[in-house]
């Protein structure tokens, strides 16, 4: 970490930075561009002094806070302020002064539901040829979303949950380590991100988010491995500087706070943040505490499945004795937990063109029960198997330092951004069987060092030709151990098989990229093309022990080194016509190098045990996608008028060497392993031949005078992969796992300056058993048929509908998931600029449903209310 910080500072000292120190000392007037409805800053808005630059060249762009400085403005100078999605504002400088530099612009010219700025580099949206969705801080507050996983519903993601303390986003049929999570420009994915389901999104505090954005489709060009389905980028707020001190006050101090309560899980959340800023220094301090009780599900179940999702029994420890108890079957006992999130940021901006941000975050939880596993049963009597199964406190420590140049006359770059980061993640699993004294523990500690550098160089004075280049470096260190603890004596023995190699593991990644962007003279066309080279290296070894239930080959004890290299490319363009048509098209390649979790994990579950396979190869994808949109009508600067936005996106992805879980063998050739006195069928991750994923999404938005807004979206995805069984002479296509059913939403919103009311319908189609991923195929000779076994796949079909009396052994006992619809209402009222209230009533009809892949039922009828204040 010290090396990365030193390198960052040394770079900006050594590289010529001509022009960087002139902005704040010259004659300039600071302004801020904000959304006229939400008051969110507009990042990357173009501001041109038409009086001084009649050719419309040499404009400036607003920064992450929506701010820029007007150079030597005269009283009657005319400025054009524009951004894709907003009506161009023409305003004189004397009007800007009357508004004290705070300028509002309104929607009216964009023809697709896109974001203002995108990605690690804050790249203008019109330069991005991919589908992009965004959720801002105002919308997060409006819907009272409890976690940073829940907010992604607003951006079209599908969310799977195994327990309440979780939330695994699915993008275009990809999930977990095939979706890249990024926070403040630093990738969160590490060496042990698994292929099933992840809960890491909840470690980000949504109370302090500026926005969350989803870049759909392969993102390997900018981000490297893992970004097969897309990139989810969480951006926390930066400290605000006090640039306009016309009132004589040289600093600004603001306190924001809110408290929230929800009925479905008795949520109690309190949040406080304090913002201090001068003209060059800023500080932001944030604290959030949340306490969640057991989650209550809905009681309206599908007809004929009256016990679907019921928690009929649970285990309670009373005076050192495990007891089986009953309660309200709709209360999901074993879901409660609590969480604390801290953030501290310090910003230093010595000039208008250079700033630094120190970013420190810490998140921790109580023990988080793994609710889906707590439902496991054994024996014909279906007795509960586990008295305890929980994640230990999920701790994430994050720190980074970012240096950003917004304008430079250096020969090497015109803009630059460098981020050095460090993360420490503790991920522990603890379990104990019913009325057993031994608690098994798996302890994983991960440390990640990272360094990214991004540079843009304008090749002409009009900034229409841009060459960009950069580098990524990362180093992961993983330590894994396992053992048993006697809960009566407190004695611990490290004699269990560790989840990851017991001798330690490391993963190193090195990458470089280059891109070229062309923007036409009339700004109608943007062309992007580029390439990236990535090298990924993993080292691991096992310690020799007589206690190991797997006898490792000699090469596993001496240590294995696995190296993979990949070259990726992407070509894309965007086009917007004068009559408000817009087209986005892209073709690209992406890859995912197998990480430590893919290569070397040992994991028993439901009678099947996953064991290492050091022969895994990277997954590669070829992606095609296109978006077509049309806007009819527009709002004027007074927010009067009507417009309709329509858009549709289609994509096709071909995945080669797809990593899937199938039947396997131990190093000695056996296909059965005994774990915790139980026999398990051996499984391994293997590369299948090919997989195909295709889908379409549609969006519509109707706006009348910015008072009534009708919006809706729908998403459909289908996936198939090759399946070969030489013993059965079977070579066919089967359903891929992680593919959600048809889903979408529709909403009607009424809003004024103070009031906003929204009715929202969420819907989810049925998913039949034939559409679930499989792990095994069995031939039934007396019926001459194949039984495709979905149990054990990441789709968790065992938590769906079950046919207790199947009439045909060729048909699975599982029946998939039923369709569902929920009706929801949200409202907010702004009493004053300093005080507001938000409320919501969700799942009004109290329907009982589970999201696809989830082992926990969704909340039943839920009322939430939050009070917010600024001081």
């Amino acid at each position: 970490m010290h090396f990365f910080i030193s390198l960052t500072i040394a770079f900006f000292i050594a590289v010529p930075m001509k022009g960087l120190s002139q902005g704040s000392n010259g004659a300039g007037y600071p302004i801020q561009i904000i959304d006229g409805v939400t008051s969110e800053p507009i990042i990357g808005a173009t501001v041109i002094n038409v009086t001084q630059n009649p050719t419309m060249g040499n404009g400036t762009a607003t920064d992450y806070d929506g701010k820029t400085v007007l150079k030597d403005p005269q009283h009657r100078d005319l400025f054009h302020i524009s951004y894709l999605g907003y009506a161009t504002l023409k305003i004189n400088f004397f009007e800007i002064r009357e508004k004290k530099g705070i300028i509002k612009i309104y929607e009216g010219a964009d023809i697709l539901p896109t974001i203002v700025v995108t990605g690690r580099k804050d790249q203008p949206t019109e330069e991005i040829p991919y589908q992009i969705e965004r959720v801002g801080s105002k919308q997060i507050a409006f819907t009272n979303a409890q976690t940073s996983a829940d907010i992604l519903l607003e951006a079209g993601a599908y969310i799977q949950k195994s327990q309440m303390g979780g939330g695994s986003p699915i993008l275009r049929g990809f999930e977990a380590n095939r979706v890249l999570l990024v926070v403040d420009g630093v990738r969160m994915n590490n060496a042990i991100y698994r292929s099933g389901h992840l809960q890491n999104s909840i470690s980000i505090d949504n109370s302090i988010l500026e926005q969350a954005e989803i870049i759909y489709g392969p993102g390997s060009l900018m981000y490297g491995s893992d970004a097969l389905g897309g990139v989810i980028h969480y951006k926390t707020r930066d400290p605000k500087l006090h640039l306009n001190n016309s009132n004589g006050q040289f600093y600004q101090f603001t306190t924001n706070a809110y408290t929230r309560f929800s009925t479905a899980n008795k949520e109690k959340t309190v949040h406080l943040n304090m913002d201090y800023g001068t003209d060059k220094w800023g500080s932001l301090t944030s604290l959030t505490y949340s306490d969640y009780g057991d989650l209550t599900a809905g009681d309206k179940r599908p007809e004929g499945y009256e016990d679907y999702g019921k928690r009929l029994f649970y285990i309670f420890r009373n005076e050192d004795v495990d007891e089986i108890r009953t309660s309200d079957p709709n209360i999901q006992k074993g879901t409660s937990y609590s969480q604390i999130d801290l953030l501290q940021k310090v910003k230093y901006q010595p000039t208008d063109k250079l700033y630094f941000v120190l970013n420190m975050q810490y998140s921790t939880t109580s023990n988080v029960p793994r609710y889906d596993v707590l439902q496991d049963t054994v024996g014909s009597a279906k007795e509960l198997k586990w008295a305890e199964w929980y994640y230990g406190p999920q701790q994430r420590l994050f720190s980074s330092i970012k240096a950003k140049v917004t304008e430079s006359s250096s020969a090497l770059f015109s803009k630059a951004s460098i981020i050095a980061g460090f993360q420490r993640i503790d991920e522990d699993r603890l379990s104990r069987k019913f009325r057993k004294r031994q608690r098994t523990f798996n302890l994983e500690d991960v440390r990640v060092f990272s360094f990214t550098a991004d540079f843009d160089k304008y090749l002409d004075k009009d900034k229409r030709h841009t060459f960009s280049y950069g580098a990524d470096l990362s180093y992961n260190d993983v330590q894994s151990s396992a053992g048993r603890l006697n809960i009566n004596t407190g004695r611990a023995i490290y004699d269990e098989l560790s989840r990851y190699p017991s001798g330690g593991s490391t993963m190193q990644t090195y990458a470089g990229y280059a891109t070229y962007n062309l923007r036409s003279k009339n700004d109608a066309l943007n062309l992007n093309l580029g390439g990236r080279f990535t090298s990924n290296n993993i080292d691991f070894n096992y310690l020799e022990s007589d206690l190991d239930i797997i006898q490792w080959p000699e090469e596993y004890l001496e240590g294995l080194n696995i190296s993979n290299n990949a070259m990726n490319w992407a070509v894309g363009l965007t086009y917007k016509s004068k009559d408000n048509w817009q087209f986005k098209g892209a073709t690209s390649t992406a890859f995912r190098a197998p990480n430590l979790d893919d290569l070397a994990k040992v994991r028993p579950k439901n009678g099947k045990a996953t064991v290492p396979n050091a022969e895994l190869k990277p997954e590669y994808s070829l992606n095609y996608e296109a978006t077509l949109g049309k806007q009819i009508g527009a709002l004027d600067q007074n927010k009067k008028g009507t417009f309709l936005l329509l858009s549709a996106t289609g994509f096709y992805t071909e995945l080669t060497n797809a990593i899937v879980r199938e039947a396997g063998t131990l190093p000695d050739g056996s296909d059965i392993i005994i774990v915790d006195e139980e026999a398990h069928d051996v499984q391994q991750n293997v590369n299948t031949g090919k997989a195909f994923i295709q889908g379409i999404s549609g969006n519509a938005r109707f706006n009348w005078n910015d008072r009534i807004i009708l919006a809706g979206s729908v998403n459909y995805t289908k996936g198939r992969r090759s399946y070969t069984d030489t013993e059965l002479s079977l070579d066919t296509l089967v359903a891929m796992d992680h593919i959600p059913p048809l889903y979408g939403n529709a909403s009607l919103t009424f809003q004024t300056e103070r009031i906003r009311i929204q009715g929202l319908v969420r819907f989810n189609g049925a998913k039949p058993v034939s559409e679930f991923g499989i792990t095994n195929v069995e031939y039934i000779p007396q019926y001459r048929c194949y039984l495709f076994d979905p149990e054990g796949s990441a789709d968790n079909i065992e938590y769906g509908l079950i046919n207790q009396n199947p009439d045909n052994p060729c048909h699975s006992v599982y029946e998939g998931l039923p369709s569902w619809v929920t009706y929801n209402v949200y409202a907010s009222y702004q009493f004053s600029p300093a005080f507001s209230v938000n409320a919501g009533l969700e799942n009004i009809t109290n329907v009982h449903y589970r999201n696809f892949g989830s082992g926990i039922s969704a909340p039943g009828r839920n009322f939430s209310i939050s009070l917010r204040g600024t001081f």
Side-chain angles (χ1 to χ4, degrees):
M1 180 64 180
H2 292 96
F3 168 76
F4 288 144
I5 295 175
S6 300
L7 182 61
T8 302
I9 297 174
F11 175 84
F12 282 103
I13 292 176
V15 175
M17 304 295 286
K18 180 181 177 182
L20 280 183
S21 61
Q22 298 175 0
S24 61
N25 296 324
Y29 188 86
I31 64 171
Q32 182 181 35
I33 311 299
I34 63 175
D35 185 289
V37 176
T38 67
S39 297
E40 295 179 5
I42 303 297
I43 311 166
T46 300
V47 182
I48 299 176
N49 188 327
V50 181
T51 303
Q52 296 182 17
N53 301 283
T55 62
M56 301 292 285
N58 298 321
T60 63
T62 54
D63 63 14
Y64 191 74
D65 294 318
K67 297 178 179 179
T68 188
V69 176
L70 306 181
K71 303 297 184 181
D72 302 312
Q74 303 301 311
H75 183 68
R76 294 189 179 278
D77 280 359
L78 178 65
F79 288 84
H80 283 194
I81 300 172
S82 62
Y83 193 78
L84 183 68
Y86 293 80
T88 298
L89 177 63
K90 301 176 182 179
I91 186 171
N92 294 104
F93 178 63
F94 65 84
E95 296 175 284
I96 294 176
R97 295 186 64 178
E98 291 174 357
K99 298 177 181 294
K100 298 182 179 180
I102 307 298
I103 304 170
K104 297 180 179 180
I105 60 176
Y106 297 92
E107 283 189 359
D110 197 346
I111 58 178
L112 292 178
T114 54
I115 70 167
V116 180
V117 68
T118 303
R120 189 173 66 218
K121 295 169 40 177
D122 293 339
Q123 190 174 0
T125 301
E126 63 263 31
E127 298 178 5
I128 307 295
Y130 303 104
Q131 178 189 0
I132 304 163
E133 301 293 342
R134 169 184 177 271
V135 185
S137 56
K138 297 290 184 181
Q139 183 65 15
I140 294 172
F142 180 67
T143 58
N144 277 327
Q146 293 186 354
T147 71
S148 288
D150 296 333
I151 68 175
L152 299 177
L153 291 171
E154 304 299 320
Y158 197 95
I159 305 300
Q160 179 277 348
K161 290 189 178 184
S162 298
Q163 65 278 338
M164 191 166 65
S168 185
I170 303 175
L171 305 181
R172 292 187 174 178
F174 292 106
E175 186 184 359
N177 56 19
R178 289 168 169 166
V179 170
L180 183 63
L181 302 182
V182 179
V183 58
D184 293 330
V186 178
R187 59 182 292 141
M188 295 178 64
N189 292 42
N190 58 52
I192 67 169
Y193 264 40
R194 53 193 180 274
S195 59
H197 312 291
L198 292 173
Q199 72 271 19
N200 301 74
S201 289
I202 72 165
S203 68
I204 300 169
D205 182 10
N206 71 1
S207 302
I208 202 65
L209 285 179
E210 184 67 36
Q211 67 181 38
E213 60 192 30
I214 300 180
I215 308 171
Y216 285 88
S220 288
L221 181 61
M222 275 297 299
Y223 294 95
S225 179
D226 301 351
L228 295 181
V231 178
I232 297 174
H233 197 161
Y234 294 102
K235 295 183 178 181
T236 61
R237 278 182 44 201
D238 274 349
K240 296 180 180 179
L241 303 183
H242 184 58
L243 298 177
N244 190 353
N245 57 3
S246 57
N247 59 2
Q249 187 174 358
F250 70 91
Y251 73 92
Q252 178 174 291
F253 181 79
T254 306
T255 300
N256 298 283
Y258 80 82
T259 182
R260 182 175 62 223
F261 175 77
S262 302
T263 59
N265 56 1
K266 303 299 186 291
E267 178 214 12
K268 297 169 283 292
T269 292
V270 292
H271 168 79
L272 174 71
N273 71 72
M274 295 172 288
D275 222 321
Y276 174 83
T278 67
D279 61 340
K280 293 185 177 181
W281 288 91
S283 171
L284 174 63
T285 304
S286 172
L287 167 66
T288 304
Y289 172 77
S290 296
D291 180 77
Y292 307 99
D294 289 321
L295 180 64
T296 301
D299 62 6
K300 301 296 188 296
R301 291 174 167 80
E303 185 177 354
Y305 299 90
E306 285 73 18
D307 289 336
Y308 174 48
K310 283 186 176 179
R311 182 70 152 143
L312 299 175
F313 306 98
Y314 70 98
I315 295 175
F316 179 81
R317 190 158 181 81
N318 182 30
E319 296 182 355
D320 297 330
V321 177
D322 290 337
E323 297 179 353
I324 295 180
R325 294 188 174 183
T326 61
S327 69
D328 184 339
N330 294 317
I331 297 177
Q332 300 176 94
K333 289 289 187 178
T335 53
S336 62
Y337 77 103
S338 60
Q339 181 167 333
I340 296 176
D341 294 289
L342 302 171
L343 176 142
Q344 176 63 57
K345 278 189 170 183
V346 177
K347 182 175 183 179
Y348 173 57
Q349 185 168 320
T351 78
D352 295 331
K353 302 173 184 178
L354 171 67
Y355 67 83
F356 301 86
V357 177
L358 175 65
N359 186 353
M360 294 174 288
Q361 302 174 25
Y362 177 72
S363 175
T364 186
T365 67
S366 63
N367 293 332
V368 179
R370 180 69 185 265
Y371 181 75
D372 59 343
V373 180
L374 289 175
Q375 301 173 79
D376 290 353
T377 59
V378 293
S380 57
K382 298 293 183 181
E383 294 181 345
L384 291 175
K385 180 177 180 179
W386 302 101
E388 302 173 352
W389 209 117
Y390 58 89
Y391 292 105
Q394 302 290 283
Q395 299 184 51
R396 180 182 69 94
L397 175 66
F398 171 97
S399 62
S400 71
I401 183 168
K402 175 181 178 180
K404 185 160 187 176
V405 179
T406 59
E407 184 179 345
S408 170
S409 56
S410 167
L412 298 178
F413 57 85
S414 305
K415 297 192 299 182
S417 176
I418 291 181
I419 307 174
F422 169 75
Q423 298 176 77
R424 173 177 173 174
I425 301 96
D426 294 337
E427 189 171 290
D428 305 331
R429 296 167 176 83
L430 301 97
S431 60
R432 182 177 61 84
K433 291 184 177 179
F434 180 51
R435 290 183 177 170
K436 298 293 184 180
R437 294 191 300 270
Q438 298 293 332
R439 176 186 295 142
T440 302
F441 56 84
N442 291 84
L443 311 178
E444 275 70 58
D445 296 316
V446 185
R447 286 156 180 76
V448 183
F449 300 85
S450 62
F451 179 83
T452 62
D454 299 300
F455 304 94
D456 294 328
K457 179 61 181 177
Y458 298 125
L459 304 180
D460 64 321
K461 65 178 182 178
D462 292 327
K463 304 178 182 179
R464 300 195 181 279
H465 300 266
T466 305
F467 177 70
S468 301
Y469 60 98
D472 281 348
L473 309 172
S474 69
Y475 177 85
N476 288 235
D477 178 79
V478 180
Q479 300 298 320
S480 182
S481 60
R484 293 175 296 147
L485 173 73
N486 187 305
I487 61 174
N488 292 335
T489 66
R491 182 169 178 258
I493 304 175
Y494 286 80
D495 62 348
E496 293 290 316
L497 197 62
S498 58
R499 184 178 177 91
Y500 301 110
S502 53
S505 315
T506 62
M507 184 174 77
Q508 308 93 37
T509 303
Y510 315 95
Y513 76 90
T515 66
Y516 169 74
N517 173 258
L518 168 65
R519 180 165 52 90
S520 64
K521 288 186 177 181
N522 61 358
D523 294 332
L525 180 69
N526 269 274
L527 173 67
N528 286 270
L529 54 91
R532 177 189 183 97
F533 177 78
T534 303
S535 177
N536 180 273
N537 302 277
I538 292 180
D539 296 276
F540 66 85
N541 72 284
Y542 290 86
L543 300 177
E544 188 171 11
S545 172
D546 294 335
L547 299 175
D548 275 352
I549 59 177
I550 298 178
Q551 296 305 308
W552 302 109
E554 190 65 28
E555 61 267 25
Y556 280 64
L557 300 175
E558 294 177 354
L560 290 175
N561 173 265
I562 300 171
S563 298
N564 291 293
N565 300 322
M567 185 71 192
N568 299 106
W569 54 265
V571 178
L573 65 86
T574 64
Y575 173 76
K576 55 178 182 179
S577 67
K578 292 182 179 179
D579 56 350
N580 288 333
W581 283 94
Q582 184 172 8
F583 172 80
K584 290 186 176 187
T587 180
S588 59
T589 62
F591 86 107
R592 189 180 75 83
N595 64 11
L596 188 66
D597 188 87
D598 299 306
L599 290 163
K601 177 175 66 178
V602 177
R603 180 221 187 197
K605 182 186 178 183
N606 293 341
K608 301 179 187 294
T610 304
V611 300
N613 178 11
E615 302 300 319
L616 275 182
K617 302 300 181 183
E619 300 175 297
Y620 297 93
S621 75
L622 176 62
N623 181 74
Y624 306 91
E625 68 175 273
T627 298
L628 183 65
K630 170 67 174 177
Q631 175 177 311
I632 304 170
L635 297 183
D636 60 23
Q637 294 183 26
N638 296 317
K639 298 184 290 183
K640 300 296 184 182
T642 301
F643 71 84
L644 173 66
L645 302 177
L646 298 171
S647 70
T649 298
F651 71 91
Y652 176 84
T653 299
E654 181 177 304
L655 194 61
T656 305
N657 285 343
I659 297 175
V660 298
R661 193 184 308 150
E662 292 184 358
T665 61
L666 295 174
D668 63 5
S670 59
D671 57 5
I672 298 291
I673 183 174
I674 306 299
V675 181
D676 204 10
E677 301 178 352
E678 294 182 11
H680 292 71
D681 295 326
V682 174
Q683 290 184 326
Q684 289 178 298
N685 288 324
V686 299
N687 294 108
T688 189
K690 285 188 177 181
F692 312 91
I693 302 177
Q694 55 192 346
I696 188 170
S697 63
N699 294 275
R701 181 181 178 89
F702 172 80
N703 188 315
W704 180 77
N705 288 335
D706 209 40
R707 285 288 185 263
I708 296 177
I709 301 171
L710 180 64
S713 68
V714 63
N715 298 269
Y716 174 74
T717 309
K718 183 176 182 178
R720 291 291 184 267
R721 70 174 178 89
S722 59
Y723 182 91
T724 302
D725 190 317
T726 54
E727 292 185 5
L728 298 178
S729 300
L730 184 65
D731 188 0
T732 186
L733 292 177
V734 297
M736 278 192 70
D737 49 11
H738 299 288
I739 306 295
L742 175 80
Y743 69 96
N745 65 73
S747 65
L748 177 62
T749 304
F750 171 79
Q751 61 187 20
T752 66
E753 294 296 328
R754 291 193 173 190
I755 299 173
R756 185 183 180 193
I757 301 173
Q758 181 183 85
L760 174 67
V761 178
R762 297 191 188 277
F763 58 88
N764 197 110
K767 188 175 178 71
V769 65
S770 60
E771 291 299 316
F772 279 75
I774 69 165
T775 58
N776 188 40
V777 176
E778 179 183 357
Y779 182 67
I780 312 295
Q782 60 269 39
Y783 286 87
R784 298 181 180 181
C785 66
Y786 294 98
L787 173 62
F788 291 86
D789 180 15
E791 186 170 0
S793 79
D795 287 353
N796 291 333
I797 194 172
E798 56 267 32
Y799 302 122
L801 299 180
I802 297 177
N803 183 352
Q804 302 292 347
N805 300 294
D807 57 359
N808 189 333
C810 295
H811 295 166
S812 172
V813 298
Y814 302 108
E815 296 190 2
L817 286 175
S819 61
W820 53 263
V821 178
T822 65
Y823 302 92
N824 316 273
V825 175
Y826 302 97
S828 67
Y829 184 77
Q830 191 80 37
F831 289 93
S832 70
F835 181 67
S836 65
V837 60
N838 296 81
L841 184 60
E842 298 171 312
N843 194 0
I844 296 173
T845 58
N846 208 27
V847 65
H848 188 103
Y849 69 97
R850 284 182 172 176
N851 281 337
F852 159 68
S854 296
I856 183 174
S857 297
R861 186 180 297 115
N862 178 50
F863 174 74
S864 63
I865 185 169
S866 63
L867 305 176
R868 300 174 181 271
T870 301
F871 312 98

